[in-house]
Amino acid sequence: LLRPLAPGHVTIDGGLWARTADVNRAAAIPEGLEQLEKAGNLRNLEIAAGRAEGEAIGPIFADSDVHKWLEAAAWEYAREPDEKLLADQLRITELLAAAQAEDGYLDSVPMLRKVPRYSDLPWSHELYCAGHLFQAAVAQVRGTGRTELLDVAVRLADHLVATFGDGEGQLREVDGHPVVEMGLVELYRETGTRAYLDLASWFVEARGTGIIEGHDKAPTYFSDRVRIREATTVEGHAVRAVYLGAGAADVAVETGDAELLAALDTQYRAMERTKQYVTGGLGSRWEGESFGDPYELPNDRAYAETCAAIGGVQWAWRMLLATGEARYADQIERMLLNGFLAGVSLSGTEYFYVNPLQLRSDAHAEEDRSPAHGRRSWFSCACCPPNIMRTVSSLTGYLATADGASLQLHQYAPGTVTAPLDGGTLRLRVETSYPDEGRVALHVEEAPDGETTLAVRVPAWADGATLAGEPVQAGTYARVTRRFAVGDTVVLDLPLAVRLTSADPRVDAVRGAVAIERGPLVYALEQPDQAEGAVVDDLRIDPAGALSDEFRADLLGGVTVVHAQGAVVPGPDAGATTPYGPATTPPPAPVRDVTLTAIPYYAWANRGPQPMRVWVPTR
Amino acid sequence: LLRPLAPGHVTIDGGLWARTADVNRAAAIPEGLEQLEKAGNLRNLEIAAGRAEGEAIGPIFADSDVHKWLEAAAWEYAREPDEKLLADQLRITELLAAAQAEDGYLDSVPMLRKVPRYSDLPWSHELYCAGHLFQAAVAQVRGTGRTELLDVAVRLADHLVATFGDGEGQLREVDGHPVVEMGLVELYRETGTRAYLDLASWFVEARGTGIIEGHDKAPTYFSDRVRIREATTVEGHAVRAVYLGAGAADVAVETGDAELLAALDTQYRAMERTKQYVTGGLGSRWEGESFGDPYELPNDRAYAETCAAIGGVQWAWRMLLATGEARYADQIERMLLNGFLAGVSLSGTEYFYVNPLQLRSDAHAEEDRSPAHGRRSWFSCACCPPNIMRTVSSLTGYLATADGASLQLHQYAPGTVTAPLDGGTLRLRVETSYPDEGRVALHVEEAPDGETTLAVRVPAWADGATLAGEPVQAGTYARVTRRFAVGDTVVLDLPLAVRLTSADPRVDAVRGAVAIERGPLVYALEQPDQAEGAVVDDLRIDPAGALSDEFRADLLGGVTVVHAQGAVVPGPDAGATTPYGPATTPPPAPVRDVTLTAIPYYAWANRGPQPMRVWVPTR
């Protein structure tokens, strides 16, 4: 088992992640608090605390957005203390404590709407809100050292332990939306209270037995059709499925349940092999926000909810800790830098709920989730924005782990890593312009006395990588074991040649098309970067043509763009009566050659909604 | 303007349509009545009539299924009188009359649920139910000569005329689901009451002004974002959009509104050019059962609701009558023989709500609309089955029209056409095995005295067609004008060579794939017809290979199958970790050549749900 490093043991002080974290702190988190005021989430708590009058506003799970914001603020405080950030947390924590019922129950909207407790658990999200509260409480302890929210969490968790289970008079029900499992295990880790782990385990085992029946949606939607121990793939609502996977992994690790862990590994692999976009995006269907059938991966109608990428990262992280397999760290990188990061604007304050891989010229802007209208500053169902905030605030947590006398570096960003190892502390200064450049220099600033192993991930795409000048194998951890001394430098060199990617022929949506990748980044053609009059919908790429890259400090916060050779084919024939015709008619011949310019997918839609595509037809 | 022929003036007595009509009469309509009993639709009316006690069951628009069944029964009675068929109609008609309120209002579910009248018109479907009642009433008059339902309809229509409009105290609202427009115009045609036409026109004009605001869905969903007079394409809920188009066409024709008709023509063309499947299917999205963006036409997740194909036929028919353009008759044929007919089993009693163009091997069966579980005998939302029944019962109506001294033949099936023309009656005996064979022989059995024009549609795909031995132009009506005599025979010969069809490159979903067509039929590869071990998902077609056809009397009620040359590529690599890889890796090489066998798309899923695809990759 790999061991995460405590907050503060990893810092990032430059590059893409630092820029992202900076706007998250300076803009997103303060504006998020205003949104919670404006949207009524905090007002709901005030009413529940008896300090205001009125009716609950917003979705039934409105409290969870508050909890996610609290978690973000806690991690952010750990990155750099700030008086107001702590004051806001404590003020809201106090409000939660005041709203909490005598017996520990807490969820303001059901309370105010007088929904009988747990009367509609498949839809009421009461345990979902509890799970997010637990996560926030643990973050508060770890990030600020304060225990006020933990007290609230423990009272609520004790209430859940008393309420749910197989015992006499207990409820045999589960929440329609998983997350409480992860929250309970974290609370167990923080408090040592075994009952929390047991309840998490109970929720994981009860699911998949059709325990959620007759609630409008099929059991599939709720990840309740197959026991997670028996499932061989993921299905149904994507966020629910991956949150459940992550919570079950927590349970498997803490209970030493190798069978459950193996089942989760199988499911994760099936997801990666048949149900994941090249961007790491998860969930093909708008209908039910769900996974599709294997290889059903439409680009235009990709749902790929930002929260699903977050849940995917959380699940992969737990699998990485449990297995130490590089592919899980590859997954985390793919999801974070592409499917997840596309969910937030460069300004940090405008969001996508849905992350398609293609937007056509004539796309019609529809309700608030529709990407065609561009990013939004908030949503009527606002799960994604504060979920992004807490994820960005805790990014440093994904960079490194320790294990006995070994330090593992999973992700690369400039900064420092301080790892307490068996023989003492290993502190590294990481110098890199990754992912723009592939050189990662690790300077030893403090070293243990004895032999230490430094394990660095070589991504699966990094053929030709070297560590300390020696060739290393892509898709593994390359290791250096020795006695390190202050002043030592170990250099990892990852080749970032632009590459074209194609898909299994079963992915019908991308037949005859390729994606552009460079290092961990997936690229996209967006309209503003193309030659005059070259409409994105009409572009073709020459897969045999030259590929080049160029760092553009002036563009989109500083990005490496990729140039490729291609052509423009004629636009739609206005006189055509049908899009169908004899196959013997040759396809429209290109009207001119053109250089295509691709930007990192994560940076799209920062110049308004524009035609965009990740997969580019070759002919 | 072309003029429809009265029921009874066209008969079909053989071939595909006769088989379809026979099971519709013998099985679907009687079972439909049982379903209406079982599902509670008739019980609702009994309660509303004060003859039973209880609560309303089913969706708010449950009455409309009764009305559609009544319409089917009326047309069926016109095809061939039957005592029980009439008795059932009159019994239900009497029940409707008994349930009708004093002032003419009638809609049992809102009545029983005590929904205040028209308080939630965007969702209550009260006018939708009225529209279907009007259509049924007119069918009853024309099909049986009885006027009982017409009396009910007139009372309801008078109530609507008094209630809706711009007058003092009148409601300025429209129904969320169009159909009342068509119903009112038909009622106007039957009764001559101008107020019905005026109200239909008012409903058409009021729409598209955001008149439906704040009802959960965006105005787009309700076809309420743009005035129909100004719209340039179709959008939103597909059935609503095409029903509105059909109703607006009725209004345009009856009011002589050339501007409105031209706008509808533009919209229809845009739909055909950018939003229609090769099967004629309409509506790309499950989400909102709606049209997608232009060229967004996924095969696996095609929604292509059976009712949308029906509405598409109704709209095209009205445009055909108004414009006389062959392409509208082509459209009717494409929709009827493919996207529509796939919605019903060969037995007539099992239905698809959703009509995809691809079903993968590992498709997971979900709730009752999901095609992966196969056809169903009824649905919780049962709009499609009785809509199919009334369409099949009235198919003869689409075959021919008359106009002064001209008879137009639009569709081909064996039987008789009796047209009252200016100079007398022209009666033709049609002999054909179309669409299995392309020869259509028209034998004159009665002829007017003077010169008569016989216009026969030459479908757009029928290059090389001849009429009376002379070459005629595909995509037009070929005409013979002369004095016909009893015993004359005119032969239309339509070449039915198998052809491969490709799509505009903007239809990303079918890049690198072709569809097989033969005459008016679109073909599909379905698993049971393929060579041992040749999984449909793994098939490729050689577009340069030989194509042949073969009539198989033993198969699927008698179908012409198509054979093509192709290959099997290897199935999924179980060891693959991702579906994505370097584009430099050649695609999997075929493991063996194989002969592909395609069946008409309409006949798929009659051997259980099986892997199927219309578009076959070429490489």
Side-chain angles (χ1 to χ4, degrees):
Chain A
L1 282 185
L2 307 182
R3 193 159 39 76
L5 299 182
H9 282 196
V10 178
T11 65
I12 301 177
D13 51 26
L16 175 59
W17 282 129
R19 289 202 309 270
T20 305
D22 287 349
V23 294
N24 189 52
R25 180 186 187 93
I29 291 179
E31 286 192 23
L33 187 57
E34 284 170 32
Q35 294 284 7
L36 293 174
E37 296 277 11
K38 222 159 61 181
N41 305 59
L42 294 175
R43 173 103 184 145
N44 289 343
L45 289 169
E46 280 161 19
I47 303 170
R51 298 175 186 175
E53 300 213 334
E55 290 181 3
I57 298 174
I60 191 85
F61 45 82
D63 280 10
S64 65
D65 295 334
V66 176
H67 306 330
K68 283 189 268 192
W69 185 90
L70 281 173
E71 185 184 341
W75 297 130
E76 204 48 45
Y77 186 87
R79 292 210 313 131
E80 192 186 330
D82 172 278
E83 211 171 300
K84 172 155 190 329
L85 208 49
L86 184 62
D88 283 335
Q89 287 177 68
L90 295 179
R91 174 172 59 85
I92 296 170
T93 299
E94 194 277 329
L95 190 56
L96 283 163
Q100 188 166 32
E102 201 58 24
D103 66 351
Y105 180 89
L106 173 56
D107 195 1
S108 74
V109 182
M111 288 166 101
L112 297 180
R113 294 200 178 131
K114 309 217 185 307
V115 178
R117 281 183 190 182
Y118 312 121
S119 60
D120 184 28
L121 209 46
W123 289 115
S124 67
H125 289 69
E126 287 160 283
L127 303 186
Y128 171 83
C129 289
H132 279 300
L133 176 66
F134 299 159
Q135 291 180 327
V138 171
Q140 192 175 93
V141 176
R142 295 186 192 157
T144 71
R146 304 292 296 238
T147 57
E148 284 90 334
L149 193 56
L150 187 67
D151 295 341
V152 175
V154 163
R155 292 180 60 205
L156 174 52
D158 290 344
H159 156 77
L160 296 186
V161 166
T163 306
F164 291 89
D166 290 320
E168 181 76 29
Q170 286 188 308
L171 289 175
R172 292 202 78 265
E173 289 197 61
V174 300
D175 195 285
H177 200 315
V179 92
V180 73
E181 301 80 4
M182 275 191 272
L184 282 165
V185 177
E186 279 291 73
L187 204 59
Y188 156 70
R189 288 178 180 136
E190 192 58 45
T191 63
T193 306
R194 175 80 195 190
Y196 303 158
L197 174 61
D198 292 344
L199 183 58
S201 175
W202 188 89
F203 283 135
V204 167
E205 302 295 340
R207 216 172 186 98
T209 57
I211 191 168
I212 304 176
E213 285 276 9
H215 285 267
D216 188 35
K217 297 268 184 192
T220 308
Y221 174 85
F222 299 109
S223 292
D224 184 38
R225 191 180 67 89
V226 187
R227 293 186 69 211
I228 193 154
R229 205 173 275 284
E230 287 154 16
T232 54
T233 187
V234 289
E235 62 181 29
H237 189 278
V239 178
R240 293 168 202 247
V242 292
Y243 276 18
L244 180 64
D250 273 335
V251 167
V253 166
E254 295 299 339
T255 60
D257 189 335
E259 180 197 271
L260 180 56
L261 193 67
L264 292 166
D265 188 65
T266 297
Q267 290 156 37
Y268 198 103
R269 281 174 189 271
M271 175 176 84
E272 187 183 347
R273 195 171 64 247
T274 69
K275 299 193 177 186
Q276 188 174 42
Y277 287 97
V278 70
T279 56
L282 299 171
S284 313
R285 296 182 183 174
W286 282 61
E287 182 78 10
E289 309 188 301
S290 75
F291 284 110
D293 286 325
Y295 307 111
E296 177 197 322
L297 292 162
N299 293 307
D300 43 13
R301 294 294 284 174
Y303 198 70
E305 185 180 336
T306 305
C307 287
I310 293 170
V313 167
Q314 294 176 342
W315 188 10
W317 174 247
R318 285 154 177 79
M319 299 305 289
L320 174 63
L321 295 179
T323 68
E325 286 189 28
R327 65 190 187 86
Y328 281 117
D330 279 3
Q331 273 280 306
I332 290 170
E333 183 171 47
R334 181 171 294 276
M335 290 188 275
L336 281 179
L337 287 175
N338 302 286
F340 163 71
L341 198 51
V344 56
S345 66
L346 298 177
S347 68
T349 54
E350 304 243 290
Y351 308 97
F352 272 144
Y353 198 111
V354 168
N355 296 282
L357 280 74
Q358 176 181 17
L359 187 67
R360 291 190 180 83
S361 291
D362 295 329
H364 172 60
E366 206 40 84
E367 50 77 49
D368 69 357
R369 290 179 199 187
S370 149
H373 58 52
R375 300 167 183 281
R376 297 255 164 149
S377 57
W378 209 248
F379 299 97
S380 54
C381 169
C383 53
C384 298
N387 218 2
I388 292 169
M389 291 171 207
R390 68 177 184 140
T391 303
V392 174
S393 286
S394 55
L395 276 175
T396 49
Y398 294 111
L399 260 60
T401 54
D403 171 23
S406 300
L407 169 66
Q408 298 84 31
L409 285 180
H410 306 293
Q411 310 296 338
Y412 303 111
T416 58
V417 176
T418 308
L421 300 182
D422 284 355
T425 294
L426 177 64
R427 191 168 80 244
L428 300 178
R429 166 85 211 154
V430 183
E431 266 181 33
T432 185
S433 297
Y434 187 84
D436 289 311
E437 294 174 22
R439 185 174 190 274
V440 182
L442 308 170
H443 304 291
V444 178
E445 296 191 331
E446 187 178 345
D449 279 343
E451 263 201 346
T452 300
T453 296
L454 181 58
V456 297
R457 178 178 60 101
V458 186
W461 46 260
D463 279 331
T466 60
L467 179 65
E470 296 296 314
V472 289
Q473 180 67 41
T476 67
Y477 286 88
R479 289 181 171 81
V480 181
T481 301
R482 70 171 195 230
R483 207 182 176 96
F484 287 98
V486 172
D488 283 1
T489 292
V490 179
V491 174
L492 171 69
D493 227 320
L494 301 171
L496 293 186
V498 179
R499 58 192 198 278
L500 299 183
T501 296
S502 63
D504 186 295
R506 279 159 203 80
V507 185
D508 293 280
V510 303
R511 190 181 305 111
V514 295
I516 300 168
E517 295 187 271
R518 180 180 180 274
L521 295 179
V522 175
Y523 277 71
L525 299 181
E526 196 181 25
Q527 194 57 59
D529 307 302
Q530 308 315 316
E532 180 77 25
V535 177
V536 162
D537 312 55
D538 302 338
L539 296 178
R540 297 293 178 275
I541 190 170
D542 175 2
L547 298 163
S548 63
D549 54 40
E550 178 194 1
F551 182 71
R552 289 270 307 273
D554 58 316
L555 190 67
L556 298 166
V559 292
T560 301
V561 301
V562 168
H563 301 295
Q565 300 312 307
V568 181
V569 299
D573 174 7
T577 56
T578 151
Y580 311 110
T584 46
T585 309
V591 289
R592 61 180 168 116
D593 288 343
V594 74
T595 297
L596 313 177
T597 299
I599 58 164
Y601 170 70
Y602 75 75
W604 90 282
N606 277 285
R607 294 166 289 187
Q610 302 270 358
M612 179 278 294
R613 69 187 306 158
V614 168
W615 290 92
V616 188
T618 56
R619 31 186 130 64
Chain B
L1 281 184
L2 307 182
R3 196 159 35 78
L5 299 182
H9 282 196
V10 178
T11 65
I12 302 176
D13 52 25
L16 175 59
W17 283 129
R19 292 203 307 271
T20 305
D22 287 349
V23 293
N24 189 52
R25 182 185 186 92
I29 291 178
E31 287 192 23
L33 186 57
E34 284 170 32
Q35 294 284 7
L36 293 174
E37 296 277 10
K38 222 160 59 182
N41 306 58
L42 294 175
R43 174 101 184 144
N44 289 343
L45 289 168
E46 281 161 18
I47 302 169
R51 297 173 186 177
E53 300 213 336
E55 290 180 2
I57 298 174
I60 192 84
F61 44 83
D63 280 9
S64 65
D65 296 334
V66 176
H67 305 329
K68 283 188 267 191
W69 185 90
L70 282 174
E71 185 182 341
W75 297 130
E76 203 49 46
Y77 185 88
R79 292 210 313 130
E80 192 186 330
D82 173 276
E83 209 171 302
K84 173 157 186 334
L85 208 47
L86 185 61
D88 284 335
Q89 288 177 69
L90 294 179
R91 173 171 62 83
I92 296 170
T93 299
E94 194 276 329
L95 191 56
L96 283 163
Q100 188 167 34
E102 202 59 23
D103 65 353
Y105 180 89
L106 175 56
D107 193 2
S108 76
V109 182
M111 287 166 103
L112 297 179
R113 294 199 179 133
K114 310 217 184 306
V115 177
R117 280 181 190 183
Y118 312 121
S119 61
D120 184 28
L121 208 47
W123 289 115
S124 67
H125 289 70
E126 286 161 282
L127 304 186
Y128 171 83
C129 288
H132 279 300
L133 176 66
F134 299 159
Q135 291 180 326
V138 170
Q140 192 175 92
V141 177
R142 295 185 192 159
T144 71
R146 304 292 295 239
T147 57
E148 285 90 335
L149 193 56
L150 187 67
D151 294 341
V152 175
V154 162
R155 292 180 60 207
L156 174 53
D158 290 343
H159 156 76
L160 296 186
V161 166
T163 305
F164 290 89
D166 290 320
E168 180 77 27
Q170 287 189 307
L171 288 174
R172 291 201 79 262
E173 288 196 61
V174 301
D175 195 286
H177 200 315
V179 92
V180 73
E181 301 79 5
M182 276 190 273
L184 282 166
V185 177
E186 279 291 74
L187 205 58
Y188 156 70
R189 289 178 181 137
E190 193 55 47
T191 62
T193 306
R194 173 82 196 188
Y196 303 157
L197 174 61
D198 292 343
L199 183 58
S201 175
W202 188 89
F203 283 136
V204 166
E205 301 295 342
R207 217 174 185 95
T209 58
I211 192 168
I212 304 175
E213 284 276 9
H215 284 269
D216 189 34
K217 296 267 187 195
T220 307
Y221 175 85
F222 299 109
S223 292
D224 184 37
R225 192 180 66 88
V226 186
R227 294 185 70 211
I228 193 154
R229 201 174 278 284
E230 286 154 17
T232 54
T233 187
V234 289
E235 62 180 29
H237 189 279
V239 178
R240 294 170 201 245
V242 293
Y243 277 18
L244 180 63
D250 273 335
V251 168
V253 165
E254 294 301 339
T255 60
D257 189 334
E259 180 197 271
L260 179 57
L261 194 67
L264 293 166
D265 187 66
T266 297
Q267 290 156 37
Y268 197 102
R269 282 174 188 268
M271 175 175 85
E272 187 183 348
R273 195 172 65 246
T274 68
K275 299 193 176 186
Q276 189 175 40
Y277 286 96
V278 70
T279 56
L282 299 172
S284 314
R285 297 183 182 174
W286 281 62
E287 182 78 11
E289 310 188 302
S290 75
F291 283 110
D293 287 325
Y295 307 113
E296 178 197 321
L297 293 161
N299 295 307
D300 43 13
R301 293 294 284 173
Y303 198 70
E305 184 179 336
T306 305
C307 287
I310 292 170
V313 167
Q314 293 175 342
W315 188 8
W317 174 246
R318 285 155 177 80
M319 297 305 290
L320 173 63
L321 295 180
T323 67
E325 288 189 28
R327 65 190 185 86
Y328 281 116
D330 279 4
Q331 272 281 306
I332 291 170
E333 182 171 48
R334 181 170 293 276
M335 290 188 275
L336 281 179
L337 286 176
N338 302 287
F340 164 72
L341 198 51
V344 56
S345 65
L346 298 177
S347 67
T349 54
E350 304 243 287
Y351 309 97
F352 272 144
Y353 198 111
V354 169
N355 297 281
L357 281 74
Q358 176 181 18
L359 188 67
R360 291 190 180 81
S361 291
D362 295 328
H364 173 61
E366 207 41 81
E367 49 77 50
D368 69 356
R369 290 179 198 185
S370 149
H373 58 54
R375 300 167 183 282
R376 298 253 163 149
S377 56
W378 209 247
F379 300 96
S380 54
C381 169
C383 52
C384 298
N387 217 2
I388 292 169
M389 292 172 205
R390 69 177 182 139
T391 303
V392 174
S393 287
S394 55
L395 276 175
T396 49
Y398 294 111
L399 261 59
T401 53
D403 172 24
S406 300
L407 170 66
Q408 298 85 31
L409 284 181
H410 307 292
Q411 312 295 338
Y412 303 111
T416 57
V417 176
T418 309
L421 301 183
D422 284 355
T425 293
L426 177 64
R427 191 167 78 241
L428 300 176
R429 166 86 211 153
V430 182
E431 266 180 34
T432 184
S433 298
Y434 188 85
D436 290 311
E437 294 174 22
R439 186 175 190 274
V440 182
L442 307 171
H443 304 291
V444 177
E445 295 191 335
E446 185 178 347
D449 279 343
E451 264 202 345
T452 299
T453 296
L454 182 58
V456 298
R457 178 178 59 101
V458 186
W461 46 262
D463 279 332
T466 60
L467 180 65
E470 296 296 316
V472 288
Q473 179 68 39
T476 66
Y477 285 88
R479 290 182 169 79
V480 181
T481 302
R482 69 170 196 231
R483 209 181 175 100
F484 287 99
V486 172
D488 282 0
T489 291
V490 179
V491 174
L492 171 69
D493 226 319
L494 300 172
L496 294 185
V498 179
R499 61 193 195 277
L500 299 183
T501 296
S502 63
D504 184 295
R506 280 160 203 77
V507 186
D508 293 280
V510 302
R511 191 181 303 114
V514 296
I516 301 168
E517 296 187 89
R518 182 181 178 273
L521 295 179
V522 175
Y523 277 71
L525 299 181
E526 196 182 25
Q527 194 57 60
D529 307 301
Q530 308 315 316
E532 179 80 24
V535 177
V536 162
D537 311 57
D538 302 338
L539 296 178
R540 298 290 178 276
I541 190 170
D542 175 3
L547 298 162
S548 63
D549 54 41
E550 179 195 1
F551 182 72
R552 289 271 306 275
D554 58 316
L555 189 67
L556 297 166
V559 292
T560 301
V561 301
V562 168
H563 301 295
Q565 299 314 305
V568 181
V569 297
D573 173 7
T577 56
T578 151
Y580 310 110
T584 46
T585 309
V591 290
R592 62 181 169 117
D593 289 342
V594 73
T595 297
L596 312 177
T597 299
I599 58 165
Y601 170 71
Y602 77 75
W604 91 282
N606 277 287
R607 294 166 290 187
Q610 302 270 1
M612 177 279 292
R613 68 186 307 156
V614 168
W615 290 93
V616 189
T618 55
R619 35 186 129 63

